[in-house]
Amino acid sequence: MRNSILIIAFLFNIIVGLGQSNQPVLYVFSGSDWCIPCMEFKKDILEDSVFVSTVGDHVLLEVVDFPQKTRGISKSELARRDSLAALYNEEGAFPKVVLVQGTSVIRINHHVKSANTFLEEVKQFVIPHEVKAAFQSKLKMGSHFSLHLCNGKEEDFKAAWDEIDRIENSISSWKDSSEISSINRNAGFAPVKVSKEVMDLIVYCMNLHSVTQGAFDISIKPGLKIWDWKKGIVPSDSLLKATQRLVNLNNVVINEDSSTVYLKVKGMSLDLGSIGKGYSAMKVAELWKDRGIESGVINAGGDLYMFGEACDIDLWSIGIKNPFKDNEVIFTSNQTNVSVATSGDYERYFEVDSVRYSHIIDPKTLQPVKGMASVTVFASNPVLADALATALSVLGVEAGKDLINQMEGVEAIIIQHSGKVYYSKGVKQSE
Ligand code: ADP
Ligand code: MG
């Protein structure tokens, strides 16, 4: 994994298991072969299909049974049931229903008519499952994503993963049903109506195209496809030439009033791979902030975004390692509300006849970039950081540094294959 080599986010004490600490448990004290109201409660409520299918979303259910006939039940199990009764059913009422959550014990009314009303009764006492600090990771967009949050709920993770899937489905040029694929299919044929979100992203990328003097170009896809990463095939000169006219963002026509995008030349196609991760990080942070979460870290395949103050931790810091020296950390930072994106060819590349080819292409020559081992960009906006890391890989050290040094609040560290490290003006090197 690129990020495991390059970026180490030290997140102390942040990994706390979910689903164990504060899960509410609904205990039903019952006498299954002698207590008639218990049998009725079981039949009418506990075995009701609505109840069975939805109760697990809210609580763990345990029927603590005290039958007259105890044959077949182990001594230790009987003892366990006794101790539960000692804790929650001292008076020996049957049936008795209690909801136990953390230190709170609430008796639930079981004199209800339907499974639905019983569930409503239970739900009003279930405190949303708060977690102090938590971590989850998954494979998304072909990369390893991990999410860390403070004082959030399990649902916050689900919402975040759903959001990442939603973004991928909308902007991936590898998914036939995405809006970007629809634009690509209609190249040279017709303008395609897109959502405001996709339009805003394309406009953002167009601005970056001009800021980077064409080094950043999302119409790069035809130039990517001629380099066969898997088979290790290098394109012929004639193929390079023929493809060149398909890569030019100036041939992308947008109409913001009608919200349409049109690729003028047949065979053109867009690819937002250079900002997908940064954009996901930004959207997850926005979503979490809307849900009242004050701090978290999103690691989108090595592109990090941190916001708010670290929870339960003295420090969350970013360390940039020297890829050529195993244990050398060349830069550390304890900042928050910052994003860090890295593009590098030493982890994602292919090799033909011992020559390494990057997956970042110079739009002017359609050649994979050479010479840069890794480019790390710091910015407050994760999309900008992600895009600039790609752009700087194309621009090279001198032009790249010039660009970064003109931009307010953006810093970069560039490591060349020679082992030389360049820092932008505002980066303080580690001692
Ligand atoms: P990573 O995916 O390793 O984080 P990047 O963020 O730099 O790397 O994105 C690389 C991707 O960007 C490529 O896989 C390709 O889809 C796209 N791309 C390649 N060259 C360019 C370019 N010059 N401008 C914009 N996008 C590019
Ligand atoms: Mg990028």
Side-chain angles (χ1 to χ4, degrees):
M1 284 276 112
R2 182 192 66 185
N3 52 315
S4 64
I5 296 186
L6 243 193
I7 296 180
I8 339 148
F10 304 101
L11 299 150
F12 297 111
N13 294 336
I14 205 167
I15 303 169
V16 174
L18 279 173
Q20 297 147 13
S21 52
N22 209 17
Q23 175 85 338
V25 186
L26 192 71
Y27 291 109
V28 179
F29 291 91
S30 161
S32 60
D33 57 1
W34 58 269
C35 159
I36 290 169
C38 301
M39 295 174 204
E40 283 171 356
F41 183 71
K42 182 171 175 239
K43 188 170 136 289
D44 296 341
I45 309 292
L46 300 183
E47 288 176 354
D48 181 279
S49 59
V50 177
F51 184 80
V52 171
S53 63
T54 47
V55 68
D57 296 342
H58 307 285
V59 292
L60 276 176
L61 174 74
E62 180 172 350
V63 177
V64 189
D65 194 18
F66 291 86
Q68 270 178 344
K69 296 188 189 97
T70 57
R71 206 191 290 160
I73 307 173
S74 70
K75 274 197 177 133
S76 62
E77 173 57 21
L78 288 171
R80 195 183 69 83
R81 294 181 197 181
D82 279 340
S83 44
L84 281 171
L87 277 171
Y88 307 125
N89 192 8
E90 237 181 330
E91 75 273 33
F94 292 92
K96 181 180 177 183
V97 184
V98 289
L99 179 72
V100 179
Q101 188 170 15
T103 51
S104 86
V105 181
I106 296 158
R107 188 168 185 167
I108 307 282
N109 172 24
H110 65 273
H111 299 287
V112 284
K113 291 208 168 58
S114 72
N116 249 337
T117 36
F118 180 70
L119 259 181
E120 289 311 313
E121 191 92 355
V122 174
K123 269 177 3 194
Q124 63 177 312
F125 296 111
V126 174
I127 307 159
H129 187 192
E130 297 277 349
V131 285
K132 184 74 186 155
F135 160 88
Q136 283 188 4
S137 69
K138 282 186 185 184
L139 207 62
K140 294 283 169 192
M141 301 185 173
S143 296
H144 193 77
F145 276 50
S146 62
L147 306 174
H148 310 253
L149 61 77
C150 307
N151 289 317
K153 302 180 199 81
E154 212 165 342
E155 302 88 85
D156 297 320
F157 280 108
K158 187 174 180 308
W161 295 123
D162 287 352
E163 176 66 355
I164 293 164
D165 288 341
R166 187 193 66 78
I167 292 167
E168 189 172 11
N169 288 331
S170 149
I171 69 170
S172 169
S173 67
W174 306 102
K175 297 215 171 217
D176 284 348
S177 56
S178 75
E179 292 191 59
I180 296 296
S181 292
S182 167
I183 296 170
N184 293 347
R185 265 196 306 276
N186 286 285
F189 177 64
V192 172
K193 204 164 173 60
V194 295
S195 62
K196 181 171 180 323
E197 181 177 36
V198 166
M199 177 59 82
D200 288 348
L201 270 174
I202 291 175
V203 170
Y204 192 83
C205 290
M206 284 177 155
N207 289 331
L208 281 163
H209 178 247
S210 64
V211 168
T212 61
Q213 287 165 8
F216 179 82
D217 190 330
I218 54 164
S219 71
I220 197 72
K221 192 162 179 176
L224 274 165
K225 283 201 295 200
I226 54 173
W227 295 89
D228 195 326
W229 270 245
K230 290 208 176 88
K231 293 190 195 130
I233 295 172
V234 173
S236 64
D237 284 351
S238 58
L239 180 58
L240 275 167
K241 248 200 191 133
T243 312
Q244 190 71 70
R245 66 186 189 90
L246 302 175
V247 177
N248 185 354
L249 204 63
N250 297 324
N251 284 334
V252 177
V253 183
I254 55 162
N255 183 331
E256 288 188 75
D257 294 331
S258 57
S259 197
T260 56
V261 181
Y262 176 51
L263 311 184
K264 272 197 207 164
V265 186
K266 193 165 183 278
M268 280 181 78
S269 57
L270 303 182
D271 178 78
L272 299 187
S274 55
I275 56 155
K277 295 182 212 156
Y279 185 63
S280 301
M282 185 181 89
K283 293 298 282 183
V284 168
E286 274 178 17
L287 177 142
W288 276 355
K289 286 177 191 171
D290 283 350
R291 297 172 77 101
I293 292 167
E294 284 168 4
S295 51
V297 179
I298 300 124
N299 182 342
D303 292 352
L304 297 179
Y305 181 59
M306 312 179 158
F307 68 96
E309 296 307 314
C311 52
D312 279 357
I313 55 179
D314 302 326
L315 179 75
W316 56 22
S317 77
I318 303 152
I320 309 289
K321 274 171 110 184
N322 183 338
F324 301 108
K325 291 188 188 146
D326 262 357
N327 295 316
E328 193 186 86
V329 176
I330 56 169
F331 175 78
T332 56
S333 155
N334 302 335
Q335 277 182 47
T336 183
N337 302 319
V338 68
S339 57
V340 190
T342 302
S343 289
D345 71 357
Y346 73 98
E347 283 230 353
R348 278 186 70 177
Y349 62 88
F350 71 110
E351 223 165 271
V352 182
D353 298 334
S354 328
V355 180
R356 272 188 186 192
Y357 295 94
S358 164
H359 65 132
I360 298 174
I361 306 286
D362 184 338
K364 298 213 166 72
T365 61
L366 302 193
Q367 294 291 326
V369 299
K370 296 191 189 82
M372 315 278 255
S374 89
V375 176
T376 300
V377 175
F378 301 81
S380 56
N381 180 332
V383 188
L384 184 64
D386 195 3
L388 286 177
T390 308
L392 257 58
S393 304
V394 176
L395 285 172
V397 174
E398 289 313 318
K401 265 196 345 177
D402 282 353
L403 175 67
I404 293 293
N405 287 333
Q406 285 167 31
M407 296 178 86
E408 195 65 35
V410 182
E411 301 295 343
I413 299 174
I414 303 171
I415 304 171
Q416 288 203 292
H417 281 302
S418 63
K420 246 186 163 167
V421 185
Y422 293 86
Y423 299 86
S424 67
K425 271 194 214 151
V427 180
K428 301 274 173 300
Q429 301 173 32
S430 306
E431 273 85 56

